[in-house]
Every structure is written in C-alpha cells, then in structure tokens.
Amino acid sequence: MRTLKISLLVFILSTTISAQEGWMIQNPPAPSHSLRSVDFIDTTTGWAIGIDPYNDYKGVIIKTTDGGMNWVEQLSGINEYLQEVRFIDFNIGYVVGENGLTYENYNSGNNWITQMSGNN
C-alpha cells in the first residue's frame, strides 16, 4: 500500500511539473499595462485591452500577429478603462469601456469610433 501511495505521488508531481513546460513569457509593449480582456480571431492574430496606470489611465489596446509572442500597442485615443474586446474578423472589432461606452472599429484596431452609450 505504501509503495502505491509513493508511486501515485511521484506520478502526480511529474504530471504537474511537465504540464507547465508549455508556458512562456510573452513580450507586451509595456508590462505596466493592466489588461482586462483578450480576443483571438485565429491562432496568430489577437487583441488585448485594459488601461495604462502610468498614462492617466487611458485605454490600452495591444495587438499580436504571431500568436502572442510579440505585441504592438495601437493608439486608441480612448480615455477610460476598457473592459471587453471582441473582433468578428480581421478588420471589425468592438471594445466596451467601464462607463458603458462601446467603441467600434473597421480597420484592424487602428481607429475607433464611439458608439451609443449603454449601462454600466
């Protein structure tokens, strides 16, 4: 019985350790960003949003085209904490701010248009 418990413990520990070998440190443009949401439209292209606490808490949108290995900040002009991001294809995307404002985009995250306000 003791041998079975030891074997089980060794198996669990080895499985736990090997399961985390796939994790890698990524390279966001500024690690100070407080990111809130991420959305990928395929295995390589995705966006993450949040705020920059060192820049008057302006909205932050970053994009990757290599599966998250590298990220580029997109200047959004949005001055509020961004809560959620969703892209429906490579060009059309939406973000929602903390005050319920929705922002719409038609050019892969480069320019954002304020849409109708919602509830908090």
Side-chain angles (χ1 to χ4, degrees):
M1 183 68 163
R2 181 177 166 95
T3 305
L4 177 62
K5 287 182 181 178
I6 291 173
S7 296
L8 185 58
L9 180 62
V10 168
F11 172 75
I12 291 171
L13 287 176
S14 66
T15 304
T16 304
I17 292 169
S18 66
Q20 297 192 16
E21 290 176 3
W23 289 95
M24 297 172 51
I25 295 174
Q26 302 299 303
N27 301 307
S32 65
H33 294 339
S34 177
L35 300 175
R36 175 77 178 170
S37 176
V38 64
D39 187 40
F40 275 77
I41 57 170
D42 62 17
T43 59
T44 60
T45 306
W47 291 262
I49 56 96
I51 60 166
D52 183 353
Y54 297 105
N55 189 14
D56 295 327
Y57 291 91
K58 291 185 179 177
V60 170
I61 301 173
I62 59 176
K63 179 182 179 181
T64 183
T65 56
D66 59 8
M69 291 298 295
N70 296 289
W71 295 84
V72 175
E73 186 169 342
Q74 295 184 301
L75 300 176
S76 68
I78 300 171
N79 294 324
E80 67 174 305
Y81 193 157
L82 300 176
Q83 298 284 336
E84 192 70 36
V85 61
R86 288 292 175 261
F87 271 77
I88 59 173
D89 62 25
F90 284 97
N91 292 311
I92 301 171
Y94 301 89
V95 296
V96 177
E98 69 177 334
N99 294 321
L101 288 176
T102 300
Y103 301 89
E104 188 172 29
N105 169 286
Y106 292 103
N107 60 1
S108 197
N110 293 315
N111 301 100
W112 294 90
I113 303 165
T114 305
Q115 296 299 309
M116 192 171 289
S117 178
N119 295 325
N120 286 347

